């Protein structure tokens, strides 16, 4: 239809001028841009129009806007890195919606030296903020490399002091403003002294001079930094232990604290390890924080905890939302030949509001299932590679453009 003509107000002699995008206040424009659920669309909006760029990246309010936009949307999953047994590290693009239209070849690690990309000695240890940290599994102490697939840059990390053997725990945000980049990152490293000496944890900082290593003091509660990376929530890293508890490591203070989960599984009935995985999903509406879950797996029993904001803690509390007492019974009707005996279940990959479960029986058969975190419905999933069901996959997410700056022109 033709646009409605602007009419002259009663008592005035001049007609109102037609309004344009120039008349939209920056505050209202930011509320519109907050609905963009991907940093790709935010970057394109900033590049398309000077007013959009000013609203997104102005010196006075741009940084706070980007932080708010990041907190309101789950990380954008573009794919997963696989540590393969018989071939080098592989990147598999995400097929789960809303997967961004990105060429998966852009995330290949072929820019690294051939001694790394042509052998199976190197493994991915963690992914965070657009960076990937790799370690050499054949060396003790391990060589470390941090790389940025988007910029195709990488940096080798020297051994810790005294060449202590150990393993990489996690990538951490850089010092200062909390951003992470190839020139500003930290790596958490768990050290083994040997000869019965107490273990220690040290942190490498790319922003420090010299070798960049410093040791952390031992937690007062007697707990350790050791644990697999369960995920990240609000800038803090969650570490899950096989004994069945979760600790959160504050990114700024490097202090550990316990996470209370109302675990209902009776672990005394089956001497199996516990694993924990954090999964993010879209919020109830575009301006609400993303939903966050923790999946607890013990044998073939699963529990799903949802984070409820406004609880007793400063960041909310975790409540038990759903449980699956026996996955083999639930999955029996989904796949022909699903074993009736007890399974060993692992979460091998996560997406936006989804997770991939690998269930194995005593004959070492692997069954893959995807699970929707909102509905808790299981669906059979076909394997994309021979090794997909055998090892953990490392989720690669796009970094939010926190360093976006407006040009004066």
């Amino acid at each position: 239809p033709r646009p409605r003509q602007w009419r002259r107000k009663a008592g005035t002699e001049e007609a109102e001028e037609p309004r344009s995008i120039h008349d939209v206040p920056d505050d209202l424009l930011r509320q519109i841009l907050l609905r963009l659920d991907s940093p790709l669309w935010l970057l394109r909006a900033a590049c398309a129009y000077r007013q959009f760029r000013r609203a997104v990246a102005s010196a006075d309010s741009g940084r706070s806007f980007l932080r708010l936009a990041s907190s309101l949307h789950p990380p954008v999953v573009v794919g997963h890195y696989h540590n393969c047994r018989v071939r080098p590290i592989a990147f598999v693009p995400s097929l789960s919606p809303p997967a961004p239209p990105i060429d998966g070849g852009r995330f290949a690690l072929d820019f690294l030296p051939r001694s790394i990309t042509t052998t199976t000695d190197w493994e991915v240890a963690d992914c965070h903020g657009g960076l990937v940290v790799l370690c050499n599994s054949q060396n003790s102490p391990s060589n470390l490399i941090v790389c940025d697939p988007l910029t195709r840059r990488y940096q080798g990390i020297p051994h810790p002091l005294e060449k202590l053997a150990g393993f990489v725990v996690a990538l951490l945000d850089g010092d200062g403003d909390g951003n992470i980049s190839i020139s500003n990152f930290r790596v958490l490293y768990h050290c083994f002294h040997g000869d019965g000496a107490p273990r220690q944890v040290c942190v490498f900082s790319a922003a420090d001079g010299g070798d960049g290593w410093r040791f952390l003091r031992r937690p007062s509660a007697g707990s350790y930094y050791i644990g697999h990376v369960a995920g990240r929530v609000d800038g803090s890293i969650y570490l899950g232990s096989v004994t069945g508890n979760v600790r959160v490591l504050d990114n700024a203070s490097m202090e550990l604290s316990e996470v209370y989960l109302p675990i209902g599984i009776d672990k005394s009935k089956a001497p199996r390890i516990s694993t924990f995985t954090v999964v993010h999903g879209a919020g109830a509406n575009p301006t609400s924080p993303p939903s966050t879950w923790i999946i607890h797996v013990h044998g073939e029993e699963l529990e799903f905890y949802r984070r409820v904001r406004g609880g007793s803690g400063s960041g909310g509390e975790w409540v038990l939302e759903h449980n699956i007492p026996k996955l083999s019974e639930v999955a029996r009707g989904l796949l022909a030949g699903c074993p009736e005996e007890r399974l060993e279940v692992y979460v091998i990959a996560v997406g936006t509001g989804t997770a991939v479960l690998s269930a194995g029986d005593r004959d070492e058969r692997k069954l893959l299932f995807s699970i929707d975190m909102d509905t808790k419905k299981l669906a059979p999933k076909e394997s994309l590679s021979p090794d997909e069901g055998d090892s953990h996959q490392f989720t690669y997410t796009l970094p939010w453009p926190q360093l976006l700056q407006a040009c004066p022109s």
Side-chain angles (χ1 to χ4, degrees):
R2 296 181 60 186
R4 185 177 59 184
Q5 298 294 324
W6 292 87
R7 296 185 178 181
R8 184 177 303 175
K9 284 185 178 181
T12 61
E13 297 182 357
E14 296 183 359
E16 288 187 358
E17 292 293 335
R19 293 188 176 274
S20 68
I21 190 65
H22 300 282
D23 300 307
V24 179
D26 284 353
D27 291 342
L28 179 58
L29 188 57
R30 292 189 184 97
Q31 291 297 319
I32 297 173
L33 295 175
L34 282 177
R35 269 73 176 173
L36 300 177
D37 59 356
S38 168
L40 290 177
W41 316 133
L42 199 59
L43 280 171
R44 290 169 179 171
C47 294
Y49 191 56
R50 184 183 305 173
Q51 185 183 8
F52 295 169
R53 184 166 65 250
R54 184 181 68 248
V56 169
S58 60
D60 54 346
S61 57
R63 188 173 297 274
S64 60
F65 169 82
L66 292 173
R67 284 196 299 265
L68 178 59
S70 176
S71 67
L72 291 178
H73 302 290
V76 180
V77 176
V78 295
H80 301 85
Y81 284 98
H82 294 239
N83 290 326
C84 304
R85 295 175 299 172
V86 296
R87 55 192 176 91
I89 299 168
F91 179 81
V92 178
S94 175
L95 300 179
S96 302
I102 296 178
D103 180 11
R106 288 290 307 273
F107 300 93
L109 303 181
D110 53 2
F111 60 93
L112 297 176
R114 286 184 53 82
S115 59
I116 297 175
T117 59
T118 58
T119 69
T120 58
D121 295 345
W122 287 84
E123 296 180 347
V124 175
D126 192 23
C127 296
H128 173 53
L131 301 184
V132 181
V133 58
L134 301 95
C135 64
N136 191 325
S137 60
Q138 302 301 315
N139 286 354
S140 182
S142 296
N143 297 312
L144 304 177
I145 286 181
V146 174
C147 62
D148 183 349
L150 290 176
T151 62
R152 301 180 69 81
R153 297 169 58 196
Y154 66 92
Q155 176 180 336
I157 299 178
H159 294 303
L161 297 174
E162 304 175 10
K163 295 188 180 296
L164 301 174
F167 60 90
V168 176
V169 176
L171 273 167
L172 303 173
D173 291 340
D175 293 318
D177 54 8
N179 293 317
I180 184 170
S181 66
I182 193 63
S183 59
N184 187 23
F185 64 87
R186 290 178 295 167
V187 176
L188 196 66
Y189 189 86
H190 192 262
C191 304
F192 299 103
H193 282 268
D195 300 328
R199 299 174 178 179
Q200 285 187 283
V201 170
C202 52
V203 173
F204 175 86
S205 175
D208 291 342
D211 59 14
W213 289 103
R214 67 181 178 90
F215 286 92
L216 300 180
R217 64 181 180 85
R218 208 172 290 276
S220 58
S223 59
Y224 295 94
Y225 294 92
I226 187 173
H228 68 274
V229 178
R232 294 168 173 85
V233 180
D234 290 345
S236 297
I237 186 170
Y238 280 54
L239 301 175
S241 67
V242 296
T243 57
N245 58 348
V246 179
R247 300 183 180 97
V248 57
L249 176 65
D250 185 85
N251 184 75
S253 65
M254 301 302 295
E255 294 290 333
L256 278 174
S257 59
E258 296 289 332
V259 177
Y260 173 72
L261 296 176
I263 294 176
I265 295 176
D266 186 359
K267 292 179 286 187
S268 63
K269 294 181 179 180
R272 306 188 180 192
I273 64 173
S274 289
T275 59
F276 300 88
T277 307
V278 174
V279 182
H280 296 281
N285 57 71
T287 56
S288 63
S291 300
T292 306
W293 297 268
I294 289 181
I295 305 177
H296 174 210
V297 179
H298 185 79
E300 66 168 323
E301 298 181 78
L302 292 91
E303 291 180 328
F304 302 86
Y305 308 95
R306 182 190 284 268
R307 189 183 186 211
V308 180
R309 296 178 180 266
S312 57
S314 58
E317 62 179 349
W318 296 92
V319 298
L320 180 62
E321 185 180 62
H322 185 68
N323 70 307
I324 299 178
K326 200 171 183 180
L327 182 66
S328 57
E329 294 182 352
V330 177
R332 191 174 300 149
L334 297 178
L335 288 176
C338 181
E340 296 185 2
E341 66 266 19
R342 296 182 68 87
L343 302 173
E344 287 288 344
V345 183
Y346 300 94
V347 180
I348 61 172
V350 298
T352 304
T354 61
V356 177
L357 308 177
S358 174
D361 60 8
R362 63 185 61 180
D363 295 328
E364 297 185 355
R365 290 178 294 176
K366 301 296 182 183
L367 306 173
L368 297 184
F369 303 92
S370 64
I371 184 166
D372 185 282
M373 296 303 297
D374 279 317
T375 63
K376 306 301 184 298
K377 289 185 177 179
L378 289 169
K381 180 182 184 299
E382 294 184 1
S383 177
L384 297 177
S385 67
D387 302 305
E388 186 175 8
D390 295 331
S391 62
H392 177 70
Q393 304 173 27
F394 294 86
T395 304
Y396 184 88
T397 59
L398 286 179
W400 272 88
Q402 295 175 332
L403 301 180
L404 190 66
Q405 297 180 357
C407 299
S409 59

